[in-house]
């Protein structure tokens, strides 16, 4: 290679810092299933961190009652209005209503970043166990039902008890974030990072969501044995 050739070779761009995350403070976050324990807890923590939050429910009146209880500027609306008014929509509905709820909101969620945090679980006398949806996971079911949305998966391993406790200032846990587009994953990571004590960690594409959702069954066993509210930390990251 001549000196001229060398001079014309473009310099390789430095690797992107994985912790260089976007500013998400201006996004409106909707929480479908926001009157349930997990959704309500997430809504409270995000609103307390300064995020604009709308709680969604099948009943606008029930949603508004939950919003009034939480304070911090949280609003309540029915699911369709919540989807339309939000930039990011967190899905925290019960598993048995997951498919029907999302199918009915397909048009309202078009163009939105949808973050699925639903854990398909069954329960019997031996405790909790993971279910495997036909699509592979709840997140993949959401992606199949919402072809015009950008679907990510996150917030699966959080204790609703800790999230809703106003005496707790920090939630000491990492959030596994899965998705197809790096930009969308980084938005969700940044959203998780707005909650004190919490980090969002990239954990792969949606095809890996099943084992992340399933791990909740193990955490339930941990919590029952040790009378705890266990979360996860990823080491060496």
């Amino acid at each position: 290679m001549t000196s001229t050739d060398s001079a014309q070779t473009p310099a390789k761009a430095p690797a992107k810092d994985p912790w260089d995350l976007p500013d998400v403070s201006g996004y409106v976050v909707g929480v479908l299933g926001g009157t349930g324990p997990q959704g309500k807890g997430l809504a409270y923590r995000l609103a307390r961190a300064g995020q604009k939050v709308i709680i969604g429910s099948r009943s606008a009146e029930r949603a508004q009652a939950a919003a009034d209880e939480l304070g911090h500027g949280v609003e309540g609306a029915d699911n369709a209005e919540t989807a339309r008014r939000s930039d990011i929509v967190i899905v925290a509905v019960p598993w048995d209503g997951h498919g029907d709820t999302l199918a009915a909101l397909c048009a309202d969620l078009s163009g939105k970043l949808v973050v699925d945090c639903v854990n398909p679980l069954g329960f019997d006398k031996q405790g909790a166990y993971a279910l495997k949806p036909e699509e592979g996971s709840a997140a993949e079911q959401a992606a199949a039902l919402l072809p015009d949305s950008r679907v990510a998966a996150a917030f699966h391993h959080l204790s609703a008890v800790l999230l809703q406790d106003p005496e707790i200032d920090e939630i000491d846990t990492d959030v596994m974030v899965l998705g197809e587009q790096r930009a969308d994953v980084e938005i969700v990571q940044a959203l998780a990072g707005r909650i004190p004590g919490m980090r969002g960690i990239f954990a792969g594409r949606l095809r890996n969501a099943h084992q992340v959702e399933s791990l909740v069954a193990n955490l339930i066993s941990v919590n029952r044995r040790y009378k705890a509210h266990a979360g996860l930390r990823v080491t060496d990251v």
Side-chain angles (χ1 to χ4, degrees):
M1 179 182 292
T2 67
S3 59
T4 302
D5 292 334
S6 179
Q8 293 176 347
T9 302
K12 187 176 181 180
K16 186 180 186 301
D17 180 354
W19 296 111
D20 180 16
L21 301 174
D23 178 8
V24 297
S25 59
Y27 286 112
V28 177
V29 178
V31 183
L32 304 182
T35 59
Q38 185 181 27
K40 195 173 183 181
L42 275 170
Y44 171 67
R45 286 292 160 179
L46 290 170
R48 181 168 158 171
Q51 207 76 35
K52 175 60 184 174
V53 177
I54 305 172
I55 280 180
S57 174
R58 287 176 295 178
S59 163
E61 292 76 15
R62 189 169 62 172
Q64 189 57 55
D68 293 341
E69 181 183 340
L70 292 179
H72 296 282
V74 177
E75 296 183 35
D78 64 37
N79 283 332
E81 182 180 347
T82 298
R84 289 192 296 267
R85 291 178 56 195
S86 302
D87 303 302
I88 304 170
V89 179
I90 297 173
V91 181
V93 300
W95 167 241
D96 58 6
H98 181 265
D100 290 343
T101 298
L102 294 184
L105 296 171
C106 182
D108 299 302
L109 291 169
S110 178
K112 308 288 183 176
L113 174 53
V114 176
V115 185
D116 202 295
C117 67
V118 174
N119 303 302
L121 297 176
F123 295 87
D124 60 20
K125 292 181 179 180
Q126 298 182 60
Y129 60 95
L131 303 175
K132 186 146 188 187
E134 181 180 348
E135 299 84 355
S137 64
E140 289 170 294
Q141 183 183 87
L145 291 170
L146 305 173
D148 297 320
S149 303
R150 295 130 51 212
V151 176
F155 301 114
H156 301 91
H157 306 137
L158 305 180
S159 163
V161 173
L162 298 183
L163 288 174
Q164 294 185 74
D165 189 340
E167 300 300 317
I168 294 176
D169 294 325
E170 296 190 1
I171 304 296
D172 181 25
T173 194
D174 287 333
V175 170
M176 311 286 272
V177 184
L178 304 98
E180 299 303 317
Q181 301 297 326
R182 180 164 184 163
D184 292 336
V185 168
E186 290 181 347
I187 287 171
V188 182
Q189 287 181 267
L191 189 66
R194 297 214 71 203
I195 300 173
M198 194 177 289
R199 296 187 308 172
I201 305 289
F202 172 63
R205 294 179 178 268
L206 288 186
R207 68 181 183 179
N208 292 318
H210 171 64
Q211 54 264 40
V212 173
E213 296 170 1
S214 299
L215 189 58
V216 173
N218 302 91
L219 291 177
I220 290 172
S221 297
V222 170
N223 290 336
R224 288 181 173 175
R225 174 63 59 90
Y226 298 101
K227 311 301 181 188
H229 301 291
L232 296 179
R233 277 294 188 201
V234 179
T235 61
D236 200 32
V237 174

